[in-house]
Amino acid sequence: MRVVVTGAAGLIGRAVVERFAGIGLTHADLDITDRAAVARAARDLDPDLIVNCAVLGVDECERDPARARSVNVDGPAILAEHAPAIVHFSSNYVFDGVGELFYEPQDEPRPVNVYGKTKLDGERAVAARCARAFLIRTSWVFGAGKDSFISAVHRRLRAGERVRAVADVWASTTYVTDLVDRLVEIVNRREFGIHHVVNEGVCSNESFAREAAQAIGADERLIESVSTKETHEAPRPRYTPLRAIPPLRHWRSALRAYIDSSQ
């Protein structure tokens, strides 16, 4: 199967390219919002499956809603028009985070920020244009090669660095290795539609950091609890854990496997 991966410079994109032995395209290689360029790439590369990992992040979306729509909605729609089959990654932030329940694929989305709104519209645009669409909602993905808080906190704590960790926003977290392994299963089974792919359990950045500190024997006094308003521009939904069926291993086990692999 010939797999073409857009957004291949990111954490998920790199992992997908490696796992599928795919053709990775960065933004410099292909602007997914350029309809003519996408048509040429589809003709020249002749993919059996396009995996779209291109995305504009949460705070960037809030600062530039027009660019958010272009990258998170228009680009995926153009890809879907030229894809015999497509994987499109979406987010827990399509939900409003009201309540204390785990969200399932059939639950009604109610996004509270520009990022969530454009990710939801991107899902719908892809599904409307390609009947063979895999829509993968995931959350707080971590792994080697990314400097996000959850990817890097164990290294920062091991170095004795003080970290500020958000304590009032809760969600699922996902080890990129587990995400891509489950993606392979979904694609091989041709299970088109919406899937939630996250590690079991729920955490905040603070509880994740404390688990990382315990795993490496770091001093938890290095961790300062803060609110999301102190650290982020865009509003975040308060509680958005996802339900993966069948469940993946617990995030604590995944975190420790990640730490072990990065030593």
Side-chain angles (χ1 to χ4, degrees):
M1 178 170 60
R2 182 183 289 266
V3 178
V4 171
V5 183
T6 60
L11 173 63
I12 298 175
R14 291 195 304 273
V16 171
V17 169
E18 181 177 352
R19 187 69 170 79
F20 282 89
I23 300 168
L25 301 176
T26 66
H27 178 71
D29 299 318
L30 178 66
D31 177 356
I32 65 170
T33 68
D34 184 333
R35 189 177 298 276
V38 171
R40 286 194 300 272
R43 182 184 63 247
D44 294 344
L45 298 175
D46 191 25
D48 300 300
L49 175 70
I50 293 176
V51 181
N52 179 40
C53 302
V55 66
L56 192 68
V58 181
D59 290 327
E60 293 89 343
C61 286
E62 209 71 19
R63 289 193 294 267
D64 193 344
R67 186 169 174 234
R69 179 153 293 276
S70 179
V71 175
N72 292 348
V73 184
D74 299 340
I78 293 169
L79 289 172
E81 291 172 358
H82 294 86
I86 187 168
V87 172
H88 177 67
F89 284 96
S90 188
S91 170
N92 57 310
Y93 283 2
V94 301
F95 297 110
D96 61 11
V98 175
E100 300 286 339
L101 299 176
F102 281 67
Y103 286 97
E104 301 191 18
Q106 68 271 19
D107 290 334
E108 183 177 357
R110 293 190 183 92
V112 301
N113 54 31
V114 174
Y115 174 80
K117 291 173 184 175
T118 56
K119 291 306 290 181
L120 178 60
D121 288 347
E123 288 182 14
R124 291 171 173 169
V126 168
R129 289 163 175 79
C130 182
R132 296 161 56 87
F134 306 93
L135 306 172
I136 310 296
R137 292 176 182 154
T138 190
S139 173
W140 293 4
V141 181
F142 65 92
K146 186 175 183 180
D147 287 330
S148 67
F149 179 89
I150 56 175
S151 289
V153 67
H154 71 286
R155 294 194 299 272
R156 295 171 62 188
L157 291 170
R158 183 178 278 130
E161 181 181 341
R162 303 190 72 85
V163 299
R164 304 174 80 229
V166 173
D168 60 349
V169 173
W170 297 76
S172 304
T173 190
T174 316
Y175 186 22
V176 70
T177 299
D178 295 344
L179 170 62
V180 176
D181 285 348
R182 176 57 55 84
L183 175 63
V184 170
E185 295 174 6
I186 290 169
V187 169
N188 286 343
R189 294 171 183 165
R190 300 190 177 188
E191 295 174 342
F192 305 114
I194 298 173
H195 299 269
H196 289 179
V197 182
V198 294
N199 287 110
E200 188 79 351
V202 58
C203 65
S204 65
N205 278 187
E206 181 196 29
S207 57
F208 190 92
R210 294 194 183 283
E211 184 70 19
Q214 292 171 20
I216 64 174
D219 188 347
E220 290 188 47
R221 290 175 295 183
L222 292 169
I223 302 167
E224 176 189 357
S225 299
V226 297
S227 71
T228 188
K229 290 182 180 179
E230 296 177 73
T231 57
H232 295 131
E233 298 176 39
R236 263 67 169 175
R238 187 187 68 85
Y239 195 88
T240 56
L242 305 179
R243 179 85 65 200
I245 301 174
L248 299 179
R249 60 179 160 174
H250 197 278
W251 67 266
R252 290 189 177 92
S253 297
L255 169 59
R256 288 173 182 264
Y258 168 51
I259 290 172
D260 289 345
S261 73
S262 61
Q263 289 179 345

